[in-house]
Amino acid sequence: MDKKTFYITTPIYYPSGNPHIGHCYTTVACDSIARYKRMQGYDVMFLTGTDEHGQKIEEKAKDKGVTPKQYVDEIVEVFKKLWSYMNISYDRYIRTTDDYHVEAVQKIFKELYDRGYIYKGEYKGKYCTPCESFWTESQLDENGCCPECHRPVTEAKEEAYFFKMSPFADRIEKLLLETDYLQPKYRAQELVNNFIKPGLEDLCVSRTSFTWGVPVDFDSKHVVYVWIDALSNYITALGYENGAYKDYEKYWPADVHMVAKDIMRFHAIIWPAMLMALEQPLPKHLAVHGWITFQNKNGEAQKMSKSLGNVVDPFMLGERYGVDAIRYHIMREMALGADSAFSNEIMINRINSDLANGFGNLVSRTVAMADKYFGGTLPADREEAEVDASLKETVLSLRGKVDECIDGTRLKNALEEIFVAVDRANKYIDETEPWKLGKDEAKSARLAAVLYNLLESIRVISGLLAPFMPNTMPKVWEQIGAKADDVTYDNLGRFDVMPADVTVHKGEILFPRIDMDKEIAELNAIIEKNMAAAKANLSDAEKGDEFTPGELAEEITIDDFARADLRVALVKSCEKVKRSKKLLCLQLDDGFGGRQVVSGIAEWYQPEDLTGKKIIIVANLKPAVLCGVESQGMILAADTPDGGASVVFPDQSLPCGAKIR
Ligand code: ME8
């Protein structure tokens, strides 16, 4: 009988800057699952790649004075180098500039057109260049910016093709709410409320204002919208509508698409709609994880951004602590769905406690005792005791628990389960006190049983850890005397697999302890240097990458400006608006008896950051109600390069009510 297949994909990444630890998260997570499934005997297809078209790439290449293809070729090499460094076992790498993909996207576009789902119209609206996303006015955030990255959007108006999505609204709603397509499920309702309930709008799927994309073959001044091009990769890479591969029948539908929450909408709504329109089967699961943010010295979580210099470089970490330790750390920290702040302290603590003290120590103590008391080869005579039963039970039930976590893409939980067994085995050493048994010749058979049970536990634990840490586990097998046959998936569900007279081999320390103080000092120095360099050295092109000032608004006269009454005000008190993550409510002394203003800055300011400070308000703005709270005016703030907002603070000695002219 043919083997069961398993198809897993990462997003295809934009080669618009070097990959960082965030890209590593998705890729290492998929790699671990792919390896696990291979171990279970599945015929696995693990796909990753790069999403190389679009205006953003075209602009960057222009800034650098190279062609878009030259630009992406260089960065794709860095991605591939990183994946090989991180031991990523992908089966196929797709580049959207590959000829077969381009051809297939043209056919897909034509097919959608012929079926009546794509039609020609005129696009009028807002476009976010960094996100390559179109938005309608009503979808913009409270500052009129992109609702995803909160950067300014530009006006866009052009002849364009549209994809009719409304025929699929009901089916998509059911897919999200009534099936287990989306993991974690709690995000489904939010998607339905935000995008489906207000009416699924037609999607603009072609552009004429730039050329770096897949040309629409029946209307060559248009290029295909980059998301239609990108999402298609999951099927073109298998040979859908092209002759490069013949794997579509075999692997489609995908078992897991894994992405971060920033691109959930595309995978939860647009992609299913495309497949429905093409009358193709839908993927089985979309696993959505949170962001890895950077935790700075003050313990605040920041978005990783080149302009802040806080991008965590996986090559640097791998060089210092080993690739497997880094793979372990990112898998162990991030719960499916939640964000996870990357902190050097937490990473080093984790490596020291789990890997050096927990697992590494278990292996080295066990092997050292087998070596010391039996010259490396255990005697065949073993005497079991009651205490052994609970260790064996923990170890024997482990594979089933890990299987379940892998199937739910809950890798953090899988590692937690495995480390429960590590702790159990370490506790078994304390319970059985082999160093005492070793002093008494008459207890040799008992000592042999203790060490054998430990070696068997390590065999199962290391076998289940191998998909997560593929470099280190073969070294463990070498040390505990396990042969390849002992660590097959079948044998990881059994105890008493290795021969009674197994021979161990003392080896190198698997995970050396890290000197926390020294490393933190060195890492902080690196970060500070990067931050300073980021400030000083960003080329205009790179600044442009992080911050798009947007187009200047239409010219106005001095009289127009004078209609806005800007005043200095003092924040007397400030609190978060209930039921809103974004809003703060400020009580102000405006020099005219006081007023209340609601502002969408809660993501960047705590109430105490503002209380007692003078700010600037638009004092004659028509009142509005935000989340049930009345706002009498608005406060002035500037966009920051990382998509945040920075409140404008005037000279603090100015009196309340002073007019700004
Ligand atoms: O969105 N934390 O590409 P992209 C966690 N080309 N994951 C992160 C991360 C972080 N800080 N930063 C990036 C695109 N990722 C499109 C995708 S797919 C048809 C097209 C990971 O290079 C995460 O998987 O911006 C996220 O979804 C993806 O990189 C976005 O990569």
Side-chain angles (χ1 to χ4, degrees), residues 262-297:
D262 55 333
I263 57 173
M264 170 175 68
R265 181 176 67 96
F266 298 97
H267 288 80
I269 297 179
I270 300 175
W271 181 224
M274 282 173 67
L275 290 165
M276 287 173 191
L278 293 168
E279 290 181 26
Q280 296 301 314
L282 303 183
K284 293 179 201 154
H285 296 294
L286 172 64
V288 179
H289 61 81
W291 282 87
I292 297 188
T293 53
F294 177 80
Q295 187 170 333
N296 69 14
K297 277 196 296 186

Side-chain angles (χ1 to χ4, degrees), residues 627-648:
C627 262
V629 184
E630 185 178 2
S631 180
Q632 301 152 337
M634 61 177 269
I635 77 173
L636 295 197
D639 292 331
T640 61
D642 59 347
S646 173
V647 172
V648 177

Side-chain angles (χ1 to χ4, degrees), residues 36 87 110 216 261 300 329 426 518 553 594 608 621 627 641 644-645:
Y36 199 91
N87 254 311
K110 180 77 172 28
V216 174
K261 60 186 184 184
E300 298 150 349
H329 172 65
N426 271 322
K518 175 172 159 283
E608 56 273 22
L621 197 67
C627 262

Side-chain angles (χ1 to χ4, degrees), residues 112-164:
L112 292 172
Y113 181 80
D114 289 343
R115 287 169 183 264
Y117 292 116
I118 283 183
Y119 63 93
K120 202 176 195 171
E122 189 183 61
Y123 179 77
K124 255 203 244 135
K126 310 286 175 185
Y127 189 71
C128 175
T129 308
C131 292
E132 310 266 16
S133 290
F134 294 101
W135 302 104
T136 57
E137 196 81 43
S138 65
Q139 288 172 324
L140 300 179
D141 70 7
E142 58 266 33
N143 298 316
C145 294
C146 170
E148 226 119 66
C149 73
H150 304 287
R151 286 182 253 214
V153 289
T154 51
E155 290 287 343
K157 184 178 164 192
E158 59 189 43
E159 174 190 292
Y161 285 91
F162 288 85
F163 174 36
K164 266 189 230 167

